[in-house]
Amino acid sequence: MSGRLTVVGIGPGDARYRTPEAEDALAAADALYGYAPYLDRLPTRLNQARCPSNNREEGARARSALHRAAEGIRVALVSGGDPGVFAMAAAVCEEIEAGPAAWRSLDVRVVPGVTAMLAVAARIGAPLGHDFCALSLSDNLKPWELIERRLDAAARAEFVIALYNPMSRARPRQLGMAFERLRKYLPPTTPVVFGRAVGRPDEQVSVTTLAMAEDSADMATLVIVGSPQTRVIVRPGRSPLVYTPRAAQGRPA
Ligand code: SAH
């Protein structure tokens, strides 16, 4: 039997967020590769090997998964959320491009999942109802200057902005610096949504404004910064709805 590498998105939280296609791909695998906490979310199956790894070693993890698949094993490489959004699918492509010619003949598949920004948006209304972009604030793989240029451009173009990897213990200042940057372009009343561990038992979602937004988050948090068109509907006895209307005029340039 010939090997296969399937990069599987398991969504942001528990099993309810996984698609039937992802479930099938996980069940069909001889070996599961992935960051240990993601593998911990999956049921154990008889005769299925588990190869957990540390989050920092994405390239190495992709290479080992490719080696195993090339040996004729059906490998599922697991990603949180969607595997194509700041995750393993691109790492696999990078390794295939740089790796042995034989890897180009492998059966490689990508199974999509619910990415964090969609899960957070759904909790609060429809903040991504009009044009939006997604940015990772991690400067592990790109210089901070590039992140600043992209923040400036996104705010000037009036995109709603989803911020992945907002800060970590190793990068405590990124989110505060990003808010400072965005305050130059966006009204102080711009809605800001913090979604933490969405889809998991310790989920927390809150809404504030750009003026009041604190730079406190962690690696399980996704931040959505509204556009000048994003609105908050305050409701009695219910949490507010944050949404971006489907039509926009845009401010004069
Ligand atoms: N591939 C993932 C993203 C990986 S980057 C996806 O598609 O969602 C990791 C970042 O995703 C985290 O720092 C956080 O910003 C966000 N994230 C992942 N899971 C999350 C969740 N359950 N709730 C909120 N944000 C989450």
Side-chain angles (χ1 to χ4, degrees):
M1 190 173 25
S2 62
R4 171 190 297 175
L5 176 59
T6 312
V7 195
V8 183
I10 59 166
D14 63 39
R16 292 173 306 142
Y17 294 86
R18 290 203 286 277
T19 65
E21 187 190 19
E23 292 290 1
D24 288 350
L26 295 171
D30 304 314
L32 296 185
Y33 279 72
Y35 178 42
Y38 294 149
L39 292 192
D40 291 343
R41 286 198 229 150
L42 305 175
T44 42
R45 290 186 173 89
L46 229 52
N47 302 326
Q48 190 176 59
R50 290 167 96 85
C51 312
S53 57
N54 170 320
N55 204 22
R56 286 242 156 205
E57 348 162 304
E58 289 181 344
R61 190 188 312 154
R63 280 194 300 280
S64 353
L66 282 157
H67 276 298
R68 283 298 283 283
E71 286 165 10
I73 306 279
R74 283 171 306 182
V75 176
L77 176 54
V78 168
S79 247
D82 181 272
V85 179
F86 308 122
M88 289 308 299
V92 166
C93 292
E94 289 164 19
E95 298 303 331
I96 291 174
E97 191 169 19
W103 285 358
R104 298 187 181 216
S105 315
L106 274 175
D107 181 355
V108 175
R109 302 177 187 193
V110 180
V111 174
V114 175
T115 189
M117 71 177 172
L118 301 185
V120 173
R123 281 290 183 277
I124 198 81
L128 308 178
H130 194 72
D131 298 345
F132 62 86
C133 66
L135 242 92
S136 166
L137 286 191
S138 168
D139 56 1
N140 289 340
L141 296 170
K142 62 188 169 186
W144 179 252
E145 292 70 33
L146 179 60
I147 299 175
E148 286 188 331
R149 265 197 282 141
R150 289 183 174 166
L151 286 168
D152 293 355
R156 271 210 287 256
E158 302 186 14
F159 283 115
V160 172
I161 306 169
L163 298 174
Y164 284 77
N165 298 312
M167 61 199 280
S168 69
R169 251 167 293 161
R171 300 182 294 102
R173 295 188 52 237
Q174 259 83 350
L175 183 60
M177 283 156 59
F179 284 149
E180 277 312 304
R181 205 82 200 171
L182 295 172
R183 285 185 187 117
K184 289 199 220 163
Y185 305 97
L186 295 168
T189 52
T190 303
V192 176
V193 178
F194 284 78
R196 184 177 182 284
V198 168
R200 301 180 210 155
D202 50 340
E203 165 178 320
Q204 283 175 340
V205 180
S206 63
V207 184
T208 181
T209 60
L210 187 54
M212 304 284 290
E214 286 180 30
D215 57 346
S216 67
D218 61 12
M219 283 305 279
T221 306
L222 178 115
V223 179
I224 298 179
V225 180
S227 76
Q229 288 86 38
T230 304
R231 310 182 55 77
V232 179
I233 306 176
V234 178
R235 304 185 299 167
R238 292 192 181 276
S239 54
L241 285 172
V242 178
Y243 83 108
T244 308
R246 291 165 301 142
Q249 298 306 318
R251 296 185 296 187

